[in-house]
C-alpha cells in the first residue's frame, strides 16, 4: 500500500488499477476508445460496452510523462501506472501507453518515472 500513489494520496478504498484491470478496458468487447479533446485537453474517452453500464465512461488525458526535466509530450502521449510489479525486475511496474491511434500495454518502466495515476475505488 505504501507504494500505491492513489492509496497514499486519497486513502480509503482508492488504489491504482492492476495491469489485468487495464487490459479489461483494452478488450474491445468491454470498451470503445475514442481519441478526443475535452475542455482543451487531448486524450481518450473510454466508453463501456457492458450491458447496464453503457452510459459510463472515463477520460484519460494525454498527460505526457515526466523523466528528469523532460515533459514535452503533454497533449500527444501519456503513460498510466498499474499497481502490478514486474516480478522479473521489481524496480519496474507495468504501465499503459496512450497516444492518438495507439493504446496498449507498453510493458514495464522504472518506478521512478513520472507516469500518470488513474485511481479506482473498490
Amino acid at each position: 500500500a505504501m507504494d500505491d500513489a492513489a492509496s497514499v494520496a486519497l486513502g480509503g478504498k482508492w488504489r491504482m488499477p492492476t495491469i489485468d484491470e487495464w487490459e479489461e478496458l483494452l478488450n474491445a468487447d468491454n470498451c470503445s476508445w475514442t481519441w478526443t479533446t475535452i475542455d482543451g485537453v487531448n486524450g481518450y474517452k473510454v466508453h463501456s460496452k457492458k450491458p447496464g453500464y453503457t452510459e459510463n465512461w472515463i477520460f484519460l488525458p494525454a498527460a505526457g510523462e515526466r523523466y528528469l526535466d523532460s515533459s514535452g509530450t503533454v497533449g500527444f502521449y501519456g503513460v498510466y501506472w498499474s499497481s502490478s510489479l514486474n516480478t522479473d525486475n521489481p524496480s519496474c511496474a507495468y504501465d499503459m501507453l496512450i497516444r492518438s491511434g495507439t493504446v496498449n500495454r507498453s510493458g514495464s518502466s522504472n518506478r521512478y518515472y513520472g507516469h500518470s495515476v488513474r485511481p479506482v475505488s473498490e
Side-chain angles (χ1 to χ4, degrees):
M2 67 185 230
D3 288 336
D4 186 314
S7 179
V8 169
L10 301 172
K13 296 180 179 181
W14 291 100
R15 62 177 178 78
M16 294 185 339
T18 65
I19 197 62
D20 290 338
E21 289 169 325
W22 277 116
E23 288 177 347
E24 184 178 344
L25 292 180
L26 283 174
N27 183 327
D29 292 334
N30 296 333
C31 296
S32 64
W33 290 68
T34 305
W35 183 261
T36 190
T37 303
I38 297 177
D39 294 332
V41 178
N42 293 336
Y44 273 99
K45 185 175 182 181
V46 185
H47 204 130
S48 175
K49 292 182 176 179
K50 289 195 168 197
Y53 298 94
T54 56
E55 297 301 316
N56 295 356
W57 58 273
I58 61 172
F59 182 67
L60 299 173
E65 73 174 329
R66 186 91 170 154
Y67 178 70
L68 300 174
D69 289 333
S70 172
S71 62
T73 57
V74 173
F76 301 98
Y77 175 93
V79 184
Y80 283 82
W81 282 122
S82 80
S83 62
S84 303
L85 290 180
N86 179 338
T87 55
D88 293 331
N89 185 0
S91 66
C92 295
Y94 291 103
D95 48 27
M96 288 288 305
L97 167 71
I98 66 167
R99 69 175 166 244
S100 179
T102 302
V103 179
N104 61 0
R105 176 179 167 172
S106 66
S108 66
S109 298
N110 285 306
R111 297 187 315 165
Y112 58 79
Y113 283 18
H115 294 339
S116 296
V117 173
R118 174 53 169 94
V120 295
S121 180
E122 293 296 327

